[in-house]
Amino acid sequence: MLRTSKTFGSWQDLQQKTGGTISHNRMTLDAAQLSQHWRRCSLSSDFWARYTSLSSSLFQTGTPVKREAVESTISYLLNELFENCAKFSSGPDRGVVYESWVYLDRLSFQVTNHIESPRLDSFIHLIEEMLGQDPGELYFKRLEENAETNVSGSGLGYLTLMKDYQVKFGFRFTPLKEKNIAVDVQAHINVKEI
């Protein structure tokens, strides 16, 4: 049983990092609405991707960054995060919070949702497996397993982002009352990788 917050991977206290910030954005959503109206996941993703990509001319990477590449990468990433919130949120609190931080050389995103405590162990196991193995090898292993078993929640979306875009993920689990767990997922992208 989780009694205090626990973090995994590339977790950062983004609220404390303000140096070099171009922008910070925040939006609240409802996981039930995302689930009932699936298109809201891609609409939200596309909106924030377009909005964030408009800052690409300010990036300081030594070489120009294509706005279209930034938009495409962010849209794919955020769609994965929003869809996971729609699919896996559970319990009495169905709120979802999206935040983004745009820096001169990197992008950081955080999505917070809630799960019931019985789902915690399987999620932590998945995260430890993803973070502890080569993303490319685990990706192909998962593809084979999914073809055989048709299982959901395999982490393929995360693995694709780690393998193809070098996204670094951080996870934090915070116990709340009523056996609910707040799940914070962070994604960090070095702009040079786009």
Side-chain angles (χ1 to χ4, degrees):
M1 173 142 182
L2 190 65
R3 300 195 188 283
T4 61
S5 291
K6 189 169 184 175
T7 62
F8 298 86
S10 298
W11 181 262
Q12 299 176 20
D13 188 355
L14 295 169
Q15 302 294 344
Q16 301 300 320
K17 293 188 173 197
T18 55
T21 306
I22 296 171
S23 70
H24 172 235
N25 302 292
R26 180 182 170 96
M27 173 179 72
T28 57
L29 302 133
D30 183 301
Q33 289 180 2
L34 289 175
S35 180
Q36 290 169 356
H37 308 282
W38 198 250
R39 180 93 173 100
R40 290 183 181 184
C41 294
S42 62
L43 287 172
S44 300
S45 303
D46 291 346
F47 170 80
W48 285 111
R50 164 85 40 103
Y51 185 90
T52 304
S53 72
L54 294 174
S55 298
S56 60
S57 63
L58 302 173
F59 293 145
Q60 296 178 1
T61 61
T63 58
V65 178
K66 292 184 178 180
R67 189 195 61 74
E68 296 82 9
V70 172
E71 184 177 340
S72 174
T73 300
I74 294 171
S75 180
Y76 181 76
L77 166 67
L78 294 182
N79 196 60
E80 181 65 28
L81 295 178
F82 289 141
E83 284 185 359
N84 283 345
C85 289
K87 286 190 281 190
F88 299 113
S89 290
S90 60
D93 189 343
R94 301 300 297 248
V96 174
V97 177
Y98 160 81
E99 289 188 85
S100 68
W101 292 262
V102 179
Y103 299 98
L104 295 172
D105 60 348
R106 68 194 185 286
L107 304 165
S108 292
F109 303 92
Q110 182 171 317
V111 176
T112 304
N113 70 312
H114 303 85
I115 61 171
E116 293 171 301
S117 54
R119 293 181 149 193
L120 179 64
D121 290 340
S122 61
F123 195 10
I124 288 177
H125 176 72
L126 175 71
I127 289 167
E128 289 176 329
E129 197 172 25
M130 285 188 320
L131 297 175
Q133 295 187 34
D134 176 81
E137 291 178 17
L138 188 55
Y139 173 83
F140 289 109
K141 178 182 173 188
R142 284 286 194 271
L143 276 180
E144 290 174 4
E145 291 172 355
N146 284 4
E148 293 172 8
T149 61
N150 200 18
V151 162
S152 67
S154 63
L156 267 178
Y158 288 130
L159 290 168
T160 301
L161 288 158
M162 293 167 69
K163 178 177 76 67
D164 294 345
Y165 299 96
Q166 285 68 55
V167 173
K168 305 286 186 225
F169 284 102
F171 301 87
R172 179 176 67 188
F173 298 92
T174 305
L176 305 172
K177 56 187 174 183
E178 299 182 29
K179 297 183 180 178
N180 242 23
I181 309 288
V183 179
D184 300 295
V185 179
Q186 289 183 350
H188 309 283
I189 306 172
N190 184 322
V191 175
K192 288 182 179 179
E193 300 294 339
I194 296 177

